[in-house]
Amino acid sequence: IPSSFRSTALSWRIPTESSRPHHHPRTLSDEIVCIVLAVRDQLKRCAEVVWHHVTIVRGIVVSLSSVRRILRQHHCFDGARKPRVRRDNPHRPLPTKPGELVQTDTIHHVDPKTGRRLYYYTVIDLFTRMTHVMLAPRLGAGLAVRAVLEAQDVWQRDYGWSGTMAMVQSDNGPEYSSFFEQAMRRANIQTRHSRLHRPNDNAHIERFNRTIQTECIGYYWNRSVPLPSQQAKLSAWLEYYNTQRVHLGIQLLTPMQMLQRS
């Protein structure tokens, strides 16, 4: 027998399939996947609403994470989510003078007993920290425009502000829609919006909103106080804020002192 003829020469390969399982033992059935996709196609809503309908209405036990995974794997959210940054959003300038960048926002004051609302349109200049607030009984783009233009007029008339606003930044609320942008454009004021779900982009106005709620208007709407009295209290506090209250962010100066320095 030749030396090359060994036991290994007698072996041959037999094609077989792997014994490893092809799916996880707890994988959702194709029937549940089809139901989740059908509910999504019917409701056209987010994963939370789809999960609620599948579990509560259909009575199918499935986790929210599984519903999210199914919708993500089948590309149900492709193109449905708004981009975090608008394509036409201008660059945010570094404020080096009054009016170069102004932020605006809206405080929703709710009456806990009736659910009715009162709105405070807030405006702040990032360089001087000069502020203005307009009280209104309803929410609207026209009122948001009025608050910004009124702030500019008050700063010029009452505090000797000689400049004008160059850019106003807001969040993506309904009051800051295309109508607001067009009105600002007619007033030669450029607009930009913060990123979605990024409140830190409007950190200055958000901090001012908390300050005014803590020191002046509170966190709830007290309907027993007449609106003229609330407006008078607000006006007095704004005068104190702009002329006497010092700020750590501007080297313990007041907004009026920052305006005079510019």
Side-chain angles (χ1 to χ4, degrees):
I1 300 176
S3 59
S4 61
F5 191 77
R6 299 285 190 271
S7 60
T8 55
L10 299 176
S11 63
W12 61 90
R13 294 181 179 278
I14 301 176
T16 58
E17 295 183 359
S18 174
S19 61
R20 190 175 68 176
H22 297 286
H23 57 79
H24 195 275
R26 299 179 62 183
T27 301
L28 294 176
S29 64
D30 294 338
E31 180 183 0
I32 295 180
V33 173
C34 292
I35 291 175
V36 170
L37 294 176
V39 172
R40 160 68 183 181
D41 186 64
Q42 174 188 357
L43 300 179
K44 299 289 193 301
R45 299 291 299 278
C46 61
E48 288 77 5
V49 177
V50 173
W51 170 78
H52 179 270
H53 187 87
V54 170
T55 56
I56 303 301
V57 180
R58 298 289 186 94
I60 300 174
V61 179
V62 61
S63 65
L64 176 59
S65 60
S66 296
V67 172
R68 286 174 174 165
R69 184 171 59 254
I70 292 171
L71 298 179
R72 185 170 57 251
Q73 290 175 348
H74 289 79
H75 308 285
C76 292
F77 296 132
D78 290 355
R81 181 173 297 177
K82 295 181 179 179
R84 291 192 183 275
V85 182
R86 294 178 46 161
R87 294 181 179 88
D88 59 344
N89 215 28
H91 175 71
R92 173 172 175 162
L94 181 65
T96 58
K97 59 182 180 180
E100 193 166 4
L101 181 59
V102 175
Q103 290 182 353
T104 182
D105 197 12
T106 308
I107 299 176
H108 298 233
H109 241 205
V110 182
D111 183 357
K113 295 182 180 179
T114 63
R116 295 187 62 182
R117 298 193 176 195
L118 190 65
Y119 301 94
Y120 291 83
Y121 295 85
T122 57
V123 185
I124 185 171
D125 174 57
L126 267 60
F127 180 78
T128 62
R129 302 300 198 274
M130 192 73 67
T131 59
H132 179 72
V133 182
M134 190 185 77
L135 178 63
R138 58 186 177 86
L139 186 69
L143 292 171
V145 172
R146 178 183 167 190
V148 173
L149 299 181
E150 184 178 284
Q152 182 173 252
D153 293 339
V154 169
W155 295 343
Q156 293 174 344
R157 182 184 66 248
D158 298 345
Y159 301 103
W161 190 42
S162 59
T164 57
M165 295 182 185
M167 179 179 292
V168 173
Q169 175 176 304
S170 65
D171 58 18
N172 297 272
E175 66 272 33
Y176 304 112
S177 59
S178 57
F179 178 85
F180 177 82
E181 297 177 355
Q182 293 169 7
M184 290 292 100
R185 196 177 301 116
R186 288 193 296 268
N188 296 322
I189 301 175
Q190 195 175 15
T191 58
R192 78 181 309 270
H193 294 268
S194 61
R195 294 172 294 174
L196 290 175
H197 314 300
R198 292 293 187 272
N200 286 343
D201 288 355
N202 289 326
H204 292 84
I205 193 67
E206 296 289 351
R207 184 62 182 89
F208 172 70
N209 289 348
R210 191 177 76 175
T211 300
I212 191 175
Q213 288 178 293
T214 302
E215 300 183 5
C216 181
I217 65 176
Y219 289 90
Y220 300 98
W221 178 21
N222 186 1
R223 296 191 61 201
S224 61
V225 180
L227 288 182
S229 299
Q230 297 186 41
Q231 183 65 59
K233 179 181 178 182
L234 177 63
S235 300
W237 185 84
L238 283 175
E239 180 69 19
Y240 158 75
Y241 186 95
N242 290 329
T243 60
Q244 301 181 37
R245 190 180 187 275
V246 298
H247 296 260
L248 292 174
I250 50 177
Q251 296 80 45
L252 293 177
L253 298 175
T254 66
M256 186 63 183
Q257 290 173 329
M258 280 295 295
L259 181 62
Q260 292 172 349
R261 287 180 57 179
S262 63

